[in-house]
């Protein structure tokens, strides 16, 4: 419990730092007024708008005003939508979660059998194919894979809808796109973890007892091999969120990733800040969860440090 | 083991597909091959960006307005030839220089059943005229007040004589709002459940995904044509084109030249283009101490640029060379200067010699990068064309916000490139920036005759005379070249073969003007 509390406390300076960095970086990228008004706007119109948005105050004053509001849960208004930024971000979370979870399911469906199989058939042709594919899967850029999947499975064969949301069919292509890179990473992890476990004493014992190979692999080896995999996968949240930025844009999936891309393009500062804040919290939470899961799965790890 | 897992994996895939509640959207092989979308009485339009808001006064986004025109009505509509036809207003007259009287259509109701009256006009126009935090305020603060005479009669009083008032009232920001509904329910409710007088009413808005509209049965005009209209937001160009090719959408806006071949190569779809209000142009400093202060140098720059070649090679012909920014369809357009280009590199070399730059000269050139379609390539081509006649161009690309910083502070060098739109459809907005009050530090253009024409025309209530003043001013500007106009850009749409759609100059989608056969 004390460990848990101290972890939570450590989050505060991290969030402060993130807010500081994001606040200044967003402002370094340029003036939002230039994007909000057309070319024909007069200098006076630009100046008036800058004034009404509070962009004329010195930047440190803007930062303190902003932080004072954030502490009260107010992340400011979106320039683009004229609505509280935090509401807009939270509204998109379910869509992004759905995509993230289904990508994880797809990644697991691919990676668990592939990882186990390549570990069992170590150094065979099948192993070579699987490890080769996982390097390829990791190396393929998301946007390229997404566009290829659209061209083949949606345009050529009309199996899935091209883009959008609303039905489960809409979820398939973006999930595969996002899931592939994770599956690749996961396959390699499972393979190496399985290899380690398969070489250990108790597996030899199990085998010498005359247990069938499937029982040895499924019951004795896999369970132990998955412990490091589960925790490391929880640390992949950041990769997953990074992937949603591109995947959601390619498939016009209405989640937080697309929102963030659009907000950056439109210099919608309040939304960029709120979204980054939420992402930071998600990443921190998942790291914390990974930590706790690891300790839970392997009771030998002590809590007092 | 392996087998069991593969079976499980397969089952999961089937589950994912089978769970789809609307299986017609998944397996539409037959329908799609014939290039048809869902239903004949439904329409799906894909834009490159999401609608931004239902606050009609707080955006200046053309693709948002293209959706709003189906929900809201203006008082008057532009007829496309510089004139106006009534929409919510039946008649109007100019009582004196500053007073306009409007007679409203009777029996018009909002989507919530409330009746549309003069109070709603007062509420709508005074909101945007008085609230300086709204993005459209600058285009409406010329309105001093709106006087309600009775339910169907009102007067609009302007601060100064305002010949372009009808232009203002027939565009973005002039959709009529329900004053009682907003007073009672509050503005936030209106933004979530907007109510207008248009042929379609709001159903749902899934942000960054779609806006769905349904017909309003009590619409005062012709009965709405479509059972359901969906505006989708698909930011990625290649995805938007793929949606069109698979029949997922009936119309896709903003098709970039790279994708034209994909569309032209498929019999189920076609391209449609229309001139837009955007004109690409060069802005030059004309003060005497500048090299471009010499009219011969400016003329040489103009003659050295082959607009036809730029249009053909970079835009595949989807643009029109022009020597004015007031293009056809705009009030005050000088059509003699439209579709014209005066490429003559030999004469350009002679002019430079006459100006004393026979050995060449150097000018700086700022261009935005990534703001407009092919802006970077256009600037590079211009640089190459100018170097052919002996002008060395120091070309600098600017990311858009850097560009606007320089633009606002007027710190460009001799020349910069920009593409202006014109949401007012009037010469005033296109030429204002050349008046001496506004051009200081930018072009520093001085021509007393042009100055007089522009100043007089701005408040001249005699429309015929006003048009002539603007046309004359454009001729003089085309000779003096403080601005060198290059070409008017087209907007290009992809359509299903069975869709009839005439793209509009103002880029609006009046969905009842569209049809499928």
């Amino acid at each position: 419990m004390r460990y848990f509390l101290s972890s939570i406390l450590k989050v505060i300076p991290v969030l402060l730092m993130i807010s500081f960095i994001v606040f200044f970086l967003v402002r370094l990228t340029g003036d939002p007024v230039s994007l909000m008004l057309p070319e024909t706007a007069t200098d006076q119109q630009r100046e008036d708008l800058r004034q009404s948005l509070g962009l004329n105050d010195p930047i440190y004053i803007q930062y303190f005003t902003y932080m004072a509001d954030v502490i009260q849960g107010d992340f400011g208004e979106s320039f683009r939508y004229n609505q509280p930024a935090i509401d807009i971000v939270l509204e998109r979370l379910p869509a992004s979660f759905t995509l993230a979870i289904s990508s994880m399911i797809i990644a697991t469906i691919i990676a668990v059998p592939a990882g186990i199989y390549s570990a069992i058939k170590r150094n065979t042709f099948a192993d070579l194919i699987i490890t080769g594919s996982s390097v390829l899967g990791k190396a393929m850029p998301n946007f390229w894979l997404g566009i290829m999947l659209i061209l083949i499975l949606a345009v050529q064969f009309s199996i899935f809808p091209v883009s959008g949301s609303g039905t489960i069919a809409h979820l398939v292509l973006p999930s595969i796109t996002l899931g592939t890179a994770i599956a690749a990473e996961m396959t390699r992890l499972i393979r190496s973890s399985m290899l380690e476990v398969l070489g250990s004493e108790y597996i030899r014992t199990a085998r010498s007892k005359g247990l069938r190979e499937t029982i040895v692999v499924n019951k004795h080896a896999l369970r132990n091999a998955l412990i490091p995999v589960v925790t490391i996968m929880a640390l992949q949240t950041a990769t997953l969120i990074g992937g949603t930025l591109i995947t959601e844009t390619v498939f016009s999936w209405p989640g937080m990733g697309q929102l963030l891309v659009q907000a950056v393009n439109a210099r919608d500062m309040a939304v960029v800040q709120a979204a980054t804040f939420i992402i930071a919290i998600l990443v921190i939470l998942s790291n914390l969860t990974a930590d706790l899961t690891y300790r839970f799965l392997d009771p030998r790890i002590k809590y007092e440090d | 083991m392996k087998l069991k897992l593969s079976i499980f994996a397969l089952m999961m895939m089937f589950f994912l597909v089978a769970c789809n509640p609307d299986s017609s959207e998944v397996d539409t092989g037959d329908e799609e091959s014939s290039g048809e979308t869902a239903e004949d009485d439904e329409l799906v339009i894909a834009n490159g960006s999401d609608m931004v808001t239902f606050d009609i006064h707080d955006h200046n986004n053309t693709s948002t307005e293209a959706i709003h025109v189906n929900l809201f009505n203006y008082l008057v509509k532009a007829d496309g030839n510089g004139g106006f036809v009534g929409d919510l207003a039946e008649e109007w007259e100019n009582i004196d220089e500053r007073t306009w009287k409007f007679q409203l259509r009777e029996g018009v109701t909002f989507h919530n059943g409330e009746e549309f009256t003069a109070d709603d006009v007062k509420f709508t126009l005074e909101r945007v005229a008085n609230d300086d935090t709204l993005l459209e305020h600058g285009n409406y603060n010329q309105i001093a007040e709106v006087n309600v005479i009775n339910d169907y009669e009102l007067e609009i009083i302007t601060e100064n004589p305002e010949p372009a008032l009808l232009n203002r009232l027939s565009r973005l920001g002039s959709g009529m709002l329900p004053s009682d509904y907003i007073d009672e329910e509050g503005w936030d409710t209106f933004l979530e459940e907007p109510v207008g007088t248009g042929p379609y009413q709001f159903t749902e808005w899934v942000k960054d995904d779609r806006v769905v509209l349904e017909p309003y049965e009590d619409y005062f005009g012709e009965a709405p044509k479509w059972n359901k209209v969906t505006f989708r937001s698909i930011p990625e160009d290649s995805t938007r084109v793929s949606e069109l090719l698979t029949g997922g959408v009936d119309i896709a806006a903003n098709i970039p030249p790279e994708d034209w071949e994909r569309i032209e190569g498929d019999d189920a779809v076609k391209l449609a283009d229309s001139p837009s209000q955007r004109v690409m142009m060069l802005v030059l400093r004309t003060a005497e101490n500048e090299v471009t202060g010499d009219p011969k140098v400016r003329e040489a720059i103009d003659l050295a640029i082959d607009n036809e070649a730029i249009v053909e090679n970079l835009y595949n012909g989807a643009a029109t060379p022009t020597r004015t920014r007031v293009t056809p369809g705009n009030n005050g357009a000088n059509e003699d200067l439209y579709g014209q280009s005066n490429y003559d590199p030999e004469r350009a070399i002679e002019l430079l010699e006459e100006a004393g730059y026979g050995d060449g000269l150097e000018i700086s050139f700022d261009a935005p990068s990534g703001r407009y379609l092919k802006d970077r390539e256009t600037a590079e081509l211009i640089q190459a064309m100018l170097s052919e006649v002996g002008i060395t161009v120091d070309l600098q690309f600017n990311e858009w916000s850097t560009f606007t910083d320089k633009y606002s502070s007027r710190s460009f060098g001799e020349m910069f490139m920009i593409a202006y739109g014109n949401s007012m459809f009037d010469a005033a907005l296109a030429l204002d920036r050349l008046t001496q009050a506004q051009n200081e530090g930018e072009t520093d253009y001085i021509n007393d005759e042009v100055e007089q024409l522009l100043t007089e025309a701005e408040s001249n209530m005699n429309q015929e005379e006003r048009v002539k003043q603007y046309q004359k001013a454009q001729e003089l500007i085309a000779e003096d070249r403080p601005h060198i106009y290059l070409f008017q850009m087209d907007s290009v749409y992809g359509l299903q073969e069975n869709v009839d759609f005439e793209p509009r100059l103002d880029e609006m989608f009046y969905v009842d003007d569209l049809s499928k056969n």
Side-chain angles (χ1 to χ4, degrees), chain B residues 362-420:
Chain B
E362 196 175 325
I363 60 168
S364 74
F365 178 25
D366 278 88
S369 173
R371 167 73 175 182
Y372 312 110
L373 184 67
K374 306 275 181 197
D375 50 6
R376 205 182 168 89
E377 293 86 343
T378 303
E380 280 168 347
L381 212 50
I382 288 173
Q383 182 187 32
M385 286 167 173
L386 292 180
S387 79
E388 290 284 305
V389 299
I391 303 175
T392 310
V393 174
D394 174 19
L395 172 58
Q396 183 135 27
F397 287 113
N398 300 270
E399 189 276 327
W400 184 246
S401 67
T402 323
F403 188 89
T404 39
D405 277 349
K406 288 188 185 175
Y407 179 71
S408 304
S409 59
R410 303 181 179 228
S411 52
F412 287 117
E414 283 93 8
M415 182 166 91
F416 69 91
M417 186 176 88
I418 193 166
Y420 286 108

Side-chain angles (χ1 to χ4, degrees), chain B residues 255-260 280 305-319 372-383 385 417 486-487 489 492:
Chain B
I255 309 285
E258 295 79 29
D259 284 306
W260 293 356
M280 188 76 88
I305 299 172
D306 186 355
N307 289 328
E308 305 271 358
I310 298 177
V311 166
E312 276 316 309
N313 294 311
L314 292 180
Y315 294 87
N316 286 5
Y372 312 110
L373 184 67
K374 306 275 181 197
D375 50 6
R376 205 182 168 89
E377 293 86 343
T378 303
E380 280 168 347
L381 212 50
I382 288 173
Q383 182 187 32
M385 286 167 173
M417 186 176 88
L486 302 171
F487 48 85
M489 300 164 85
V492 180

Side-chain angles (χ1 to χ4, degrees), chain A residues 49-157:
Chain A
L49 182 62
R50 215 168 272 133
Q51 190 68 39
S52 79
L53 294 173
L55 294 169
N56 278 344
D57 297 333
I59 190 152
Y60 62 91
I61 298 209
Q62 290 184 40
Y63 179 69
F64 286 125
T65 322
Y66 172 70
M67 281 316 286
D69 289 342
V70 166
I71 289 166
Q72 298 164 43
D74 176 6
F75 283 78
E77 287 254 322
S78 155
F79 297 158
R80 191 161 149 246
Y81 287 117
N82 305 316
Q83 276 178 4
I86 193 74
D87 293 357
I88 296 172
V89 175
L90 293 178
E91 210 175 81
R92 311 297 174 88
L93 269 185
S96 287
F97 273 139
T98 315
L99 180 59
I101 290 169
S102 68
S103 319
M104 280 309 251
I105 292 175
I106 287 189
T108 315
I109 290 173
I110 300 171
V112 172
I116 296 171
Y117 192 75
S118 73
I120 300 171
K121 304 280 177 189
R122 187 185 178 186
N123 294 338
T124 61
F125 183 66
D127 180 27
L128 192 72
I129 294 284
I130 291 173
T131 41
S133 320
S134 59
V135 172
L136 193 70
K138 189 89 182 125
M140 273 190 299
N142 268 347
F143 71 90
W144 182 84
L145 180 62
I147 290 173
M148 285 302 130
L149 286 173
I150 290 179
L151 288 180
I152 297 166
L153 294 179
V155 177
Q156 203 62 39
F157 293 106

Side-chain angles (χ1 to χ4, degrees), chain B residues 433-448:
Chain B
R433 218 173 160 91
L434 283 171
T435 55
Q436 285 169 26
Q438 286 196 45
N439 73 25
E440 198 188 334
E442 188 170 281
T443 52
D444 291 315
Y445 174 53
I446 297 176
N447 176 328
D448 292 337

Side-chain angles (χ1 to χ4, degrees), chain A residues 28-43 45-46 48-50 52 79-83 88 91-92 102 105-106 109-110 112-114 116-117 120 143 147 150-151 154-172 175-176 214 217-218 222 248-255 258-260 262 267, chain B residues 1-2 4-6 8-10 12-13 15-17 19-22 25-29 32 48-53 55 58-60 132-133 135 137-139 141 191-192 205-210 232-236 238-240 242-243 245-246 262 278 325 371-372 399-402 404-405 407-408 410 418-423 429 433 438:
Chain A
L28 277 180
T29 61
D31 179 9
V33 169
S34 69
L35 291 165
M36 293 167 73
L37 289 176
E39 287 85 347
T40 44
T42 60
D43 297 341
Q45 286 171 344
R46 284 173 208 276
D48 290 349
L49 182 62
R50 215 168 272 133
S52 79
F79 297 158
R80 191 161 149 246
Y81 287 117
N82 305 316
Q83 276 178 4
I88 296 172
E91 210 175 81
R92 311 297 174 88
S102 68
I105 292 175
I106 287 189
I109 290 173
I110 300 171
V112 172
I116 296 171
Y117 192 75
I120 300 171
F143 71 90
I147 290 173
I150 290 179
L151 288 180
V155 177
Q156 203 62 39
F157 293 106
S158 312
I159 304 174
F160 297 106
V162 176
S163 66
S165 70
T167 69
I168 287 184
H170 284 101
L171 194 55
V172 179
S175 305
I176 296 176
T214 43
V217 172
N218 275 351
L222 184 58
E248 290 185 355
T249 307
V250 170
F251 290 96
S252 5
W253 184 261
Q258 195 197 153
L259 173 71
L260 191 52
Q262 303 290 340
R267 301 257 168 10
Chain B
M1 169 71 207
K2 185 194 98 191
K4 252 199 247 166
L5 278 167
S6 356
F8 174 69
L10 263 176
M12 282 301 288
M13 289 299 287
F15 168 75
L16 281 173
V17 179
C19 273
N20 173 26
D22 182 7
E25 285 205 45
V26 189
D27 187 15
T28 41
E32 278 161 8
S49 61
D50 192 18
M51 186 180 79
V52 294
T53 178
D55 189 338
D58 208 9
H59 75 88
N60 44 43
D132 62 10
T133 62
L135 283 177
H137 172 69
N139 288 321
N141 56 5
L191 291 182
E192 275 166 35
W205 177 19
V206 182
K207 292 207 185 83
D208 274 336
D209 188 16
R210 60 182 182 265
R232 290 194 49 197
S233 149
I234 307 178
E236 176 63 36
S238 80
T239 311
R240 205 159 58 245
S242 294
E243 278 287 10
L245 293 176
T246 58
R262 277 176 82 192
R278 213 166 268 287
R325 193 185 143 199
R371 167 73 175 182
Y372 312 110
E399 189 276 327
W400 184 246
S401 67
T402 323
T404 39
D405 277 349
Y407 179 71
S408 304
R410 303 181 179 228
I418 193 166
Y420 286 108
N422 184 350
S423 67
L429 186 75
R433 218 173 160 91
Q438 286 196 45

